[in-house]
Amino acid sequence: MAIAAIIWAVAGQGWNVIGGYGGLLSFGHSVFFGIGAYSTAMLNVHFGISPWVGMIVGAAVAAAAGAILTFPALRLKGVYFTLATFVLALLFADLTTHNREFTGGDQGISIPFLRNSPGMFQFDSRLTLFFVLVVFLAAATLVVSLVARSRLGLFLRASRDDPDAARAAGVNVTRTRLFGLMISAAITSVAGSLMLQYLRFIDPLTAFGAGTAFMIGLVALTCGRGTVLGPVIGAAVLIPVQQILSSTFASGPAGVSGMAYAAIVVAVMLVEPRGLIHLFKRLGLWIWQLSRPSRGNRPPPSQGETTVKKTDDAVGSLS
């Protein structure tokens, strides 16, 4: 559960660059997730190349695909961009399903199990893998933090808040979003490579499916898009909740756990549309205000304090 949460947090950080700071709601980031997973898997299975190298190649391919495939969609606004990216994810799912020679078709592709081979990104225990993935999450969070504080982050927020005003101020909105999308795609593809190493298997549904597309965006949207720690907290909350609901309603009718999960997400968004991180801030501020004594509850001043105050007032009036 913890390993899966970390991987989804990395994917959410990738989505957060363009979906949070850039304001483009994409439900097609499973394309980049799948590109990272399949690039790593195919290079490893067909050519014996280490997943460490495959991860870098996958990130480069995903960044290039993000620039080429979504460039026309960058001119779309609102829901039209969202639909265009979602259709792109469905297209890649069909391509991998029918190209059996390299992708394994709908059966997917598995990587060899080597027990303990750090050079091939396989470790002796899940605990070791956990700490390695924590490093990846820290690196992804650092990249997002640097982007948020950079000139690119400033331009992304300007393009999100008011594209027309940003253009009037001299910002090339299309180019800014394109660079942001390339960074976003590269980070998301790394998450796909990590998921492959965790499962040691990937198929079109896991890589490009609608569930993957929605989960990548959900971990950032539910907790606070456009914040550095939003996807991390979102994954830490949503993934355990999803696992608990799945195990609780495992013997119940099909779809009950999904309905309960959707109800929780909708309730969170209704209470605080900006996400859980802002809800936690509101609760913290409310608790802090309650802990402070109000003026009406302050104890009356003692006789000595009253005398000193009167003396100070008299001295002030004489001066």
Coordinates of all heavy atoms in Angstrom, one line a residue, residues 197-295:
Q197 N 8.4 -1.8 -12.3 CA 9.3 -2.5 -11.4 C 8.6 -3.0 -10.1 O 9.1 -4.0 -9.6 CB 10.5 -1.5 -11.0 CG 11.3 -1.1 -12.2 CD 11.8 -2.2 -13.0 OE1 11.7 -2.3 -14.2 NE2 12.5 -3.2 -12.4
Y198 N 7.6 -2.3 -9.7 CA 6.9 -2.8 -8.5 C 6.0 -4.0 -8.9 O 6.0 -5.0 -8.1 CB 6.0 -1.7 -8.0 CG 5.0 -2.0 -6.9 CD1 5.4 -2.7 -5.8 CD2 3.7 -1.7 -7.0 CE1 4.6 -3.1 -4.8 CE2 2.8 -2.1 -6.0 CZ 3.2 -2.7 -4.9 OH 2.3 -3.1 -3.9
L199 N 5.3 -4.0 -10.0 CA 4.4 -5.1 -10.4 C 5.1 -6.2 -11.1 O 4.7 -7.3 -11.2 CB 3.2 -4.6 -11.2 CG 2.3 -3.5 -10.6 CD1 1.3 -3.1 -11.6 CD2 1.6 -4.1 -9.3
R200 N 6.3 -5.8 -11.8 CA 7.0 -6.7 -12.7 C 6.2 -7.1 -13.9 O 6.4 -8.2 -14.5 CB 7.6 -7.9 -12.0 CG 8.6 -7.5 -10.9 CD 9.4 -8.8 -10.4 NE 10.3 -8.4 -9.4 CZ 10.0 -8.6 -8.1 NH1 8.8 -9.1 -7.7 NH2 10.9 -8.3 -7.1
F201 N 5.2 -6.3 -14.2 CA 4.2 -6.6 -15.3 C 3.5 -5.3 -15.7 O 3.3 -4.5 -14.8 CB 3.2 -7.7 -14.8 CG 2.0 -7.8 -15.7 CD1 2.1 -8.6 -16.8 CD2 0.8 -7.2 -15.4 CE1 1.0 -8.8 -17.6 CE2 -0.3 -7.3 -16.2 CZ -0.2 -8.1 -17.3
I202 N 3.2 -5.2 -16.9 CA 2.4 -4.1 -17.4 C 1.5 -4.5 -18.5 O 1.9 -5.4 -19.4 CB 3.3 -2.9 -17.8 CG1 2.5 -1.6 -17.9 CG2 4.0 -3.2 -19.1 CD1 2.1 -1.1 -16.5
D203 N 0.3 -4.1 -18.6 CA -0.6 -4.3 -19.7 C -1.3 -3.1 -20.1 O -1.2 -2.0 -19.4 CB -1.6 -5.4 -19.3 CG -2.6 -5.0 -18.2 OD1 -2.3 -4.0 -17.5 OD2 -3.6 -5.6 -18.0
P204 N -2.0 -3.0 -21.2 CA -2.7 -1.8 -21.7 C -3.6 -1.2 -20.7 O -3.7 0.1 -20.6 CB -3.4 -2.2 -23.0 CG -2.6 -3.4 -23.5 CD -2.2 -4.1 -22.2
L205 N -4.4 -2.0 -20.0 CA -5.3 -1.4 -19.0 C -4.6 -0.7 -17.9 O -5.0 0.3 -17.4 CB -6.2 -2.5 -18.5 CG -7.4 -2.1 -17.6 CD1 -8.3 -1.1 -18.3 CD2 -8.1 -3.3 -17.0
T206 N -3.6 -1.4 -17.3 CA -2.8 -0.8 -16.2 C -2.1 0.5 -16.7 O -2.0 1.5 -15.9 CB -1.8 -1.8 -15.7 OG1 -2.5 -3.0 -15.3 CG2 -1.1 -1.2 -14.4
A207 N -1.6 0.5 -17.9 CA -0.8 1.6 -18.4 C -1.6 2.8 -18.9 O -1.3 3.9 -18.5 CB 0.2 1.1 -19.5
F208 N -2.6 2.5 -19.7 CA -3.3 3.5 -20.4 C -4.8 3.6 -20.0 O -5.5 4.4 -20.6 CB -3.2 3.4 -21.9 CG -1.8 3.3 -22.4 CD1 -1.2 2.1 -22.8 CD2 -1.0 4.5 -22.5 CE1 0.1 2.1 -23.3 CE2 0.3 4.4 -23.0 CZ 0.8 3.2 -23.4
G209 N -5.3 2.8 -19.1 CA -6.7 2.7 -18.8 C -7.2 3.9 -18.2 O -6.5 4.8 -17.7
A210 N -8.6 4.0 -18.2 CA -9.3 5.2 -17.6 C -9.0 5.3 -16.1 O -8.9 6.4 -15.6 CB -10.8 5.1 -17.9
G211 N -8.9 4.2 -15.5 CA -8.7 4.2 -14.0 C -7.3 4.8 -13.7 O -7.2 5.6 -12.8
T212 N -6.3 4.5 -14.5 CA -5.0 5.1 -14.3 C -5.0 6.6 -14.6 O -4.5 7.4 -13.9 CB -4.0 4.4 -15.2 OG1 -3.9 3.0 -14.9 CG2 -2.6 5.1 -15.1
A213 N -5.7 7.0 -15.7 CA -5.8 8.4 -16.1 C -6.5 9.2 -15.0 O -6.0 10.3 -14.6 CB -6.6 8.5 -17.4
F214 N -7.6 8.7 -14.4 CA -8.3 9.4 -13.4 C -7.5 9.5 -12.1 O -7.5 10.5 -11.4 CB -9.7 8.8 -13.1 CG -10.6 9.2 -14.2 CD1 -11.2 8.2 -15.0 CD2 -11.1 10.5 -14.4 CE1 -12.1 8.5 -16.0 CE2 -12.0 10.8 -15.4 CZ -12.5 9.8 -16.2
M215 N -6.8 8.4 -11.7 CA -6.1 8.3 -10.4 C -4.9 9.3 -10.5 O -4.6 10.0 -9.4 CB -5.6 6.9 -10.2 CG -4.8 6.8 -8.8 SD -5.8 7.3 -7.4 CE -7.0 5.9 -7.4
I216 N -4.2 9.5 -11.6 CA -3.1 10.4 -11.7 C -3.6 11.8 -11.4 O -2.9 12.6 -10.6 CB -2.5 10.3 -13.1 CG1 -1.8 9.0 -13.3 CG2 -1.4 11.4 -13.3 CD1 -1.3 8.7 -14.7
G217 N -4.7 12.2 -11.9 CA -5.2 13.6 -11.7 C -5.9 13.7 -10.3 O -5.8 14.8 -9.7
L218 N -6.5 12.6 -9.9 CA -7.2 12.7 -8.6 C -6.4 13.0 -7.4 O -6.8 13.7 -6.5 CB -8.0 11.4 -8.4 CG -9.3 11.5 -7.6 CD1 -10.3 12.4 -8.3 CD2 -9.9 10.1 -7.5
V219 N -5.2 12.4 -7.3 CA -4.3 12.6 -6.2 C -3.9 14.0 -6.0 O -3.6 14.5 -4.9 CB -3.1 11.7 -6.2 CG1 -3.5 10.2 -6.1 CG2 -2.3 11.9 -7.4
A220 N -3.9 14.8 -7.1 CA -3.5 16.2 -7.0 C -4.8 17.0 -6.8 O -4.8 18.0 -6.0 CB -2.8 16.6 -8.3
L221 N -5.8 16.7 -7.6 CA -7.1 17.5 -7.5 C -7.7 17.5 -6.1 O -8.2 18.5 -5.6 CB -8.1 17.0 -8.5 CG -7.9 17.5 -10.0 CD1 -8.8 16.8 -10.9 CD2 -8.2 19.0 -10.0
T222 N -7.8 16.3 -5.5 CA -8.5 16.1 -4.3 C -7.8 16.8 -3.1 O -8.4 17.2 -2.2 CB -8.6 14.6 -4.0 OG1 -9.3 14.0 -5.1 CG2 -9.5 14.4 -2.7
C223 N -6.5 16.9 -3.2 CA -5.7 17.4 -2.0 C -5.3 18.8 -2.2 O -5.0 19.6 -1.3 CB -4.6 16.5 -1.7 SG -4.0 16.8 0.0
G224 N -5.1 19.3 -3.4 CA -4.7 20.7 -3.7 C -3.8 20.8 -4.8 O -2.6 20.7 -4.7
R225 N -4.4 21.0 -6.0 CA -3.5 21.2 -7.2 C -2.9 22.6 -7.1 O -3.4 23.5 -6.6 CB -4.3 21.1 -8.5 CG -5.4 22.1 -8.7 CD -6.2 21.8 -9.9 NE -7.2 22.8 -10.2 CZ -7.4 23.5 -11.3 NH1 -6.6 23.3 -12.3 NH2 -8.4 24.3 -11.4
G226 N -1.7 22.7 -7.7 CA -1.0 23.9 -7.6 C -0.2 24.1 -6.3 O 0.2 25.2 -6.0
T227 N -0.1 23.1 -5.5 CA 0.7 23.1 -4.3 C 1.8 22.0 -4.4 O 1.5 21.0 -5.0 CB -0.2 22.9 -3.1 OG1 -0.8 21.6 -3.1 CG2 -1.3 24.0 -3.0
V228 N 2.9 22.3 -3.8 CA 4.0 21.3 -3.9 C 3.7 20.0 -3.2 O 4.0 18.9 -3.7 CB 5.3 22.0 -3.3 CG1 6.4 20.9 -3.3 CG2 5.7 23.2 -4.1
L229 N 3.0 20.1 -2.0 CA 2.8 18.8 -1.2 C 1.4 18.3 -1.5 O 1.1 17.2 -0.9 CB 2.9 19.1 0.3 CG 4.3 19.5 0.7 CD1 4.4 19.8 2.2 CD2 5.3 18.4 0.4
G230 N 0.6 18.9 -2.3 CA -0.8 18.4 -2.6 C -0.8 17.0 -3.0 O -1.5 16.1 -2.4
P231 N -0.1 16.6 -4.1 CA -0.2 15.2 -4.6 C 0.4 14.2 -3.6 O -0.1 13.1 -3.5 CB 0.7 15.3 -5.9 CG 0.7 16.7 -6.3 CD 0.6 17.5 -5.1
V232 N 1.4 14.6 -2.8 CA 1.9 13.7 -1.8 C 0.9 13.4 -0.7 O 0.7 12.2 -0.4 CB 3.2 14.3 -1.1 CG1 3.8 13.4 -0.1 CG2 4.2 14.6 -2.2
I233 N 0.2 14.4 -0.2 CA -0.8 14.2 0.8 C -2.0 13.5 0.2 O -2.6 12.6 0.8 CB -1.2 15.5 1.4 CG1 0.0 16.2 2.1 CG2 -2.3 15.3 2.5 CD1 -0.3 17.5 2.7
G234 N -2.3 13.8 -1.1 CA -3.5 13.2 -1.7 C -3.3 11.7 -1.9 O -4.2 10.9 -1.6
A235 N -2.1 11.3 -2.3 CA -1.8 9.9 -2.5 C -1.8 9.2 -1.1 O -2.2 8.0 -1.0 CB -0.5 9.7 -3.2
A236 N -1.2 9.8 -0.1 CA -1.2 9.2 1.2 C -2.5 9.0 1.8 O -2.7 8.1 2.7 CB -0.3 10.1 2.2
V237 N -3.5 9.8 1.4 CA -4.9 9.6 1.9 C -5.7 8.8 1.0 O -6.4 7.8 1.4 CB -5.6 11.0 2.0 CG1 -7.0 10.9 2.4 CG2 -4.8 11.9 3.1
L238 N -5.7 9.0 -0.3 CA -6.6 8.3 -1.2 C -6.3 6.9 -1.4 O -7.2 6.0 -1.5 CB -6.6 9.0 -2.6 CG -7.3 10.4 -2.6 CD1 -7.2 11.0 -4.0 CD2 -8.7 10.4 -2.1
I239 N -5.0 6.5 -1.6 CA -4.6 5.1 -1.9 C -5.0 4.2 -0.7 O -5.6 3.2 -0.9 CB -3.1 5.0 -2.2 CG1 -2.8 5.9 -3.4 CG2 -2.8 3.6 -2.5 CD1 -3.7 5.6 -4.6
P240 N -4.7 4.5 0.6 CA -5.1 3.7 1.7 C -6.6 3.6 1.8 O -7.2 2.5 2.0 CB -4.5 4.4 2.9 CG -3.3 5.1 2.4 CD -3.7 5.6 1.1
V241 N -7.3 4.7 1.5 CA -8.8 4.7 1.6 C -9.3 3.7 0.5 O -10.3 3.0 0.8 CB -9.4 6.1 1.4 CG1 -10.9 6.1 1.2 CG2 -9.1 7.0 2.6
Q242 N -8.8 3.8 -0.7 CA -9.2 2.9 -1.8 C -9.0 1.5 -1.4 O -9.9 0.6 -1.6 CB -8.5 3.3 -3.0 CG -8.9 2.5 -4.3 CD -8.0 2.7 -5.5 OE1 -6.8 2.7 -5.3 NE2 -8.6 3.0 -6.6
Q243 N -7.8 1.2 -0.8 CA -7.5 -0.2 -0.5 C -8.4 -0.7 0.6 O -8.9 -1.9 0.6 CB -6.0 -0.3 0.0 CG -5.0 0.0 -1.1 CD -5.0 -1.0 -2.2 OE1 -5.3 -2.1 -2.0 NE2 -4.6 -0.6 -3.4
I244 N -8.7 0.1 1.6 CA -9.5 -0.3 2.7 C -11.0 -0.5 2.3 O -11.6 -1.5 2.7 CB -9.5 0.8 3.8 CG1 -8.1 0.9 4.5 CG2 -10.6 0.6 4.9 CD1 -7.9 2.1 5.4
L245 N -11.5 0.4 1.4 CA -12.8 0.2 0.9 C -12.9 -1.1 0.0 O -13.9 -1.8 0.1 CB -13.2 1.4 0.1 CG -13.5 2.7 0.8 CD1 -13.8 3.8 -0.1 CD2 -14.7 2.5 1.8
S246 N -11.9 -1.4 -0.8 CA -11.9 -2.6 -1.6 C -11.9 -3.8 -0.8 O -12.7 -4.8 -1.1 CB -10.7 -2.6 -2.5 OG -10.7 -1.5 -3.4
S247 N -11.2 -3.8 0.3 CA -11.2 -5.0 1.2 C -12.4 -5.1 2.0 O -12.9 -6.2 2.3 CB -9.9 -5.0 2.1 OG -10.0 -3.8 2.9
T248 N -13.0 -4.0 2.4 CA -14.2 -4.0 3.2 C -15.4 -4.5 2.4 O -16.2 -5.3 2.9 CB -14.5 -2.6 3.7 OG1 -13.4 -2.1 4.5 CG2 -15.7 -2.6 4.6
F249 N -15.5 -4.1 1.2 CA -16.7 -4.4 0.4 C -16.4 -5.5 -0.6 O -17.0 -5.7 -1.7 CB -17.2 -3.2 -0.4 CG -17.7 -2.1 0.5 CD1 -17.0 -1.0 0.8 CD2 -19.0 -2.3 1.2 CE1 -17.4 0.0 1.6 CE2 -19.4 -1.3 2.0 CZ -18.7 -0.1 2.2
A250 N -15.3 -6.3 -0.4 CA -14.9 -7.3 -1.3 C -16.0 -8.4 -1.5 O -16.2 -8.9 -2.6 CB -13.6 -8.0 -0.8
S251 N -16.7 -8.7 -0.4 CA -17.8 -9.7 -0.5 C -19.1 -9.1 -0.9 O -20.1 -9.9 -1.0 CB -17.9 -10.5 0.8 OG -18.2 -9.5 1.9
G252 N -19.2 -7.8 -1.0 CA -20.5 -7.2 -1.4 C -20.7 -7.2 -2.9 O -19.9 -7.7 -3.7
P253 N -21.8 -6.5 -3.3 CA -22.1 -6.4 -4.7 C -21.0 -5.6 -5.5 O -20.3 -4.8 -4.9 CB -23.4 -5.6 -4.7 CG -24.0 -5.8 -3.4 CD -22.8 -5.9 -2.4
A254 N -20.8 -5.9 -6.7 CA -19.8 -5.3 -7.5 C -20.1 -3.8 -7.6 O -21.2 -3.4 -7.9 CB -19.7 -5.9 -8.9
G255 N -19.0 -3.0 -7.5 CA -19.1 -1.6 -7.7 C -19.4 -0.8 -6.4 O -19.4 0.5 -6.4
V256 N -19.7 -1.5 -5.3 CA -20.0 -0.8 -4.0 C -18.8 0.0 -3.5 O -19.0 1.2 -3.1 CB -20.6 -1.7 -3.0 CG1 -20.8 -1.0 -1.6 CG2 -21.9 -2.4 -3.4
S257 N -17.7 -0.6 -3.6 CA -16.5 0.1 -3.1 C -16.2 1.3 -3.9 O -15.8 2.3 -3.4 CB -15.3 -0.9 -3.1 OG -15.0 -1.3 -4.4
G258 N -16.4 1.2 -5.3 CA -16.1 2.3 -6.1 C -17.1 3.5 -5.9 O -16.7 4.6 -5.9
M259 N -18.4 3.1 -5.6 CA -19.4 4.1 -5.3 C -19.0 4.8 -3.9 O -19.1 6.1 -3.8 CB -20.7 3.5 -5.2 CG -21.3 3.0 -6.5 SD -22.8 2.1 -6.4 CE -23.9 3.4 -5.7
A260 N -18.6 4.1 -3.0 CA -18.2 4.7 -1.7 C -17.0 5.6 -1.8 O -16.9 6.7 -1.2 CB -17.9 3.6 -0.6
Y261 N -16.1 5.1 -2.6 CA -14.8 5.9 -2.9 C -15.2 7.2 -3.6 O -14.7 8.3 -3.2 CB -13.9 5.1 -3.7 CG -12.5 5.7 -4.0 CD1 -11.6 5.9 -2.9 CD2 -12.2 6.2 -5.2 CE1 -10.4 6.5 -3.2 CE2 -11.0 6.7 -5.5 CZ -10.1 6.9 -4.5 OH -8.9 7.5 -4.7
A262 N -16.1 7.1 -4.6 CA -16.5 8.3 -5.3 C -17.2 9.3 -4.4 O -17.1 10.5 -4.5 CB -17.3 7.9 -6.5
A263 N -18.1 8.7 -3.5 CA -18.8 9.6 -2.6 C -17.9 10.4 -1.7 O -18.1 11.5 -1.4 CB -19.8 8.7 -1.8
I264 N -16.8 9.7 -1.2 CA -15.9 10.4 -0.3 C -15.2 11.5 -1.1 O -15.0 12.6 -0.6 CB -14.8 9.4 0.2 CG1 -15.5 8.4 1.2 CG2 -13.7 10.1 1.0 CD1 -14.6 7.3 1.7
V265 N -14.7 11.2 -2.3 CA -14.1 12.2 -3.1 C -15.0 13.4 -3.4 O -14.6 14.6 -3.2 CB -13.5 11.6 -4.4 CG1 -13.0 12.7 -5.3 CG2 -12.5 10.6 -4.1
V266 N -16.2 13.2 -3.7 CA -17.2 14.2 -4.0 C -17.4 15.1 -2.8 O -17.5 16.3 -2.8 CB -18.5 13.6 -4.6 CG1 -19.6 14.7 -4.6 CG2 -18.3 13.1 -6.0
A267 N -17.6 14.4 -1.6 CA -17.8 15.1 -0.4 C -16.6 16.1 0.0 O -16.8 17.2 0.4 CB -18.0 14.1 0.8
V268 N -15.4 15.6 -0.3 CA -14.2 16.4 0.0 C -14.3 17.6 -0.9 O -14.0 18.8 -0.5 CB -12.9 15.6 -0.2 CG1 -11.7 16.5 -0.2 CG2 -12.8 14.6 0.9
M269 N -14.5 17.4 -2.2 CA -14.5 18.5 -3.1 C -15.7 19.5 -2.9 O -15.5 20.7 -3.2 CB -14.6 18.0 -4.6 CG -13.5 17.1 -5.0 SD -11.9 17.9 -4.7 CE -11.9 19.1 -6.0
L270 N -16.8 19.0 -2.3 CA -17.9 20.0 -2.0 C -17.6 20.8 -0.8 O -17.9 22.0 -0.7 CB -19.2 19.2 -1.8 CG -19.9 18.6 -3.0 CD1 -21.1 17.7 -2.6 CD2 -20.3 19.7 -4.0
V271 N -16.9 20.2 0.2 CA -16.6 20.9 1.4 C -15.5 21.9 1.1 O -15.5 23.1 1.6 CB -16.1 19.9 2.5 CG1 -15.6 20.7 3.8 CG2 -17.3 19.0 2.9
E272 N -14.5 21.5 0.4 CA -13.3 22.4 0.1 C -12.9 22.1 -1.4 O -12.1 21.2 -1.6 CB -12.2 22.2 1.1 CG -11.0 23.1 0.8 CD -11.3 24.5 0.6 OE1 -11.4 25.2 1.6 OE2 -11.4 25.0 -0.5
P273 N -13.4 22.9 -2.3 CA -13.1 22.7 -3.7 C -11.6 22.8 -4.0 O -11.1 22.2 -5.0 CB -13.8 23.7 -4.5 CG -15.0 24.1 -3.6 CD -14.4 24.0 -2.2
R274 N -10.8 23.5 -3.2 CA -9.4 23.7 -3.5 C -8.6 22.4 -3.0 O -7.4 22.3 -3.3 CB -8.9 24.9 -2.8 CG -9.5 26.2 -3.3 CD -9.0 27.4 -2.5 NE -9.3 27.3 -1.1 CZ -8.9 28.1 -0.2 NH1 -8.1 29.1 -0.5 NH2 -9.3 28.0 1.1
G275 N -9.2 21.5 -2.3 CA -8.5 20.3 -1.9 C -8.3 20.2 -0.4 O -8.5 21.1 0.4
L276 N -7.9 19.0 0.0 CA -7.7 18.6 1.4 C -6.7 19.5 2.1 O -6.8 19.8 3.3 CB -7.3 17.2 1.5 CG -8.4 16.1 1.5 CD1 -7.7 14.7 1.5 CD2 -9.3 16.3 2.7
I277 N -5.6 19.9 1.4 CA -4.6 20.6 2.0 C -5.1 22.0 2.5 O -4.7 22.5 3.6 CB -3.3 20.8 1.1 CG1 -2.1 21.3 1.9 CG2 -3.7 21.7 -0.1 CD1 -0.8 21.2 1.1
H278 N -6.0 22.6 1.8 CA -6.6 23.8 2.2 C -7.6 23.6 3.3 O -7.8 24.4 4.2 CB -7.3 24.5 1.0 CG -6.3 24.9 -0.1 ND1 -5.5 26.0 0.0 CD2 -6.0 24.4 -1.3 CE1 -4.8 26.2 -1.0 NE2 -5.1 25.2 -1.8
L279 N -8.3 22.4 3.3 CA -9.2 22.1 4.4 C -8.4 21.9 5.7 O -8.9 22.4 6.7 CB -10.0 20.8 4.0 CG -11.0 20.3 5.1 CD1 -12.1 21.3 5.3 CD2 -11.6 19.0 4.6
F280 N -7.3 21.3 5.6 CA -6.5 21.1 6.8 C -6.0 22.5 7.3 O -5.9 22.7 8.6 CB -5.2 20.2 6.5 CG -5.6 18.8 6.2 CD1 -4.8 18.0 5.4 CD2 -6.8 18.2 6.7 CE1 -5.1 16.7 5.1 CE2 -7.1 16.9 6.4 CZ -6.2 16.1 5.7
K281 N -5.7 23.4 6.4 CA -5.3 24.7 6.9 C -6.4 25.4 7.6 O -6.2 26.1 8.6 CB -4.8 25.5 5.7 CG -3.5 25.1 5.1 CD -3.1 26.0 3.9 CE -1.7 25.5 3.3 NZ -1.3 26.4 2.1
R282 N -7.6 25.3 7.0 CA -8.8 25.9 7.7 C -9.0 25.3 9.0 O -9.3 26.1 10.0 CB -10.0 25.7 6.8 CG -10.0 26.6 5.5 CD -11.2 26.3 4.6 NE -12.4 26.3 5.3 CZ -13.6 25.8 4.8 NH1 -13.6 25.4 3.5 NH2 -14.7 25.8 5.4
L283 N -8.9 24.0 9.2 CA -9.1 23.4 10.5 C -8.1 23.8 11.5 O -8.4 24.0 12.6 CB -9.1 21.9 10.3 CG -10.3 21.2 9.6 CD1 -10.1 19.7 9.4 CD2 -11.6 21.5 10.4
G284 N -6.8 23.9 11.0 CA -5.7 24.3 11.9 C -5.9 25.7 12.4 O -5.7 26.1 13.5
L285 N -6.4 26.6 11.5 CA -6.6 28.0 11.8 C -7.8 28.1 12.8 O -7.8 28.9 13.8 CB -6.9 28.8 10.6 CG -7.2 30.3 10.8 CD1 -6.1 31.0 11.5 CD2 -7.6 31.0 9.5
W286 N -8.8 27.3 12.6 CA -10.0 27.3 13.5 C -9.6 26.8 14.9 O -10.0 27.4 15.9 CB -11.1 26.4 12.9 CG -12.3 26.3 13.7 CD1 -13.2 27.3 14.0 CD2 -12.8 25.1 14.4 NE1 -14.2 26.8 14.8 CE2 -14.0 25.5 15.1 CE3 -12.3 23.8 14.5 CZ2 -14.7 24.6 15.8 CZ3 -13.0 22.9 15.3 CH2 -14.2 23.3 15.9
I287 N -8.8 25.7 14.9 CA -8.4 25.2 16.3 C -7.5 26.2 17.0 O -7.6 26.4 18.2 CB -7.6 23.9 16.1 CG1 -8.6 22.8 15.6 CG2 -6.9 23.4 17.4 CD1 -7.9 21.5 15.2
W288 N -6.6 26.9 16.2 CA -5.7 27.9 16.8 C -6.5 29.1 17.4 O -6.3 29.6 18.4 CB -4.7 28.4 15.7 CG -3.8 29.5 16.2 CD1 -2.8 29.3 17.1 CD2 -3.8 30.9 15.9 NE1 -2.2 30.5 17.3 CE2 -2.8 31.5 16.6 CE3 -4.7 31.6 15.1 CZ2 -2.5 32.9 16.5 CZ3 -4.4 33.0 15.0 CH2 -3.4 33.6 15.7
Q289 N -7.6 29.5 16.6 CA -8.4 30.6 17.1 C -9.2 30.2 18.4 O -9.4 31.0 19.3 CB -9.4 31.0 16.0 CG -8.7 31.8 14.9 CD -9.7 32.1 13.8 OE1 -10.8 31.6 13.7 NE2 -9.2 33.0 12.9
L290 N -9.6 28.9 18.4 CA -10.4 28.5 19.6 C -9.4 28.4 20.8 O -9.9 28.6 22.0 CB -11.0 27.1 19.4 CG -12.2 27.0 18.5 CD1 -12.7 25.6 18.3 CD2 -13.3 27.9 19.0
S291 N -8.2 28.1 20.6 CA -7.2 27.9 21.7 C -6.8 29.3 22.3 O -6.3 29.4 23.4 CB -6.0 27.2 21.2 OG -5.3 27.9 20.2
R292 N -7.0 30.4 21.5 CA -6.6 31.7 22.0 C -7.8 32.2 22.9 O -8.9 32.1 22.6 CB -6.4 32.7 20.9 CG -5.2 32.3 20.0 CD -5.1 33.4 18.9 NE -4.9 34.7 19.4 CZ -5.0 35.8 18.7 NH1 -5.3 35.8 17.5 NH2 -4.7 37.0 19.3
P293 N -7.4 32.8 24.1 CA -8.5 33.4 24.9 C -9.0 34.6 24.3 O -8.3 35.5 23.8 CB -7.7 33.7 26.2 CG -6.3 33.8 25.8 CD -6.1 32.9 24.7
S294 N -10.4 34.7 24.3 CA -11.0 35.9 23.7 C -10.9 37.1 24.7 O -10.6 36.9 25.9 CB -12.5 35.6 23.4 OG -13.1 35.2 24.6
R295 N -11.1 38.3 24.2 CA -11.0 39.4 25.1 C -12.0 39.4 26.2 O -11.7 39.9 27.3 CB -11.1 40.7 24.3 CG -10.0 40.9 23.3 CD -10.0 42.3 22.6 NE -8.9 42.5 21.7 CZ -8.6 43.6 21.1 NH1 -9.4 44.6 21.3 NH2 -7.5 43.7 20.3

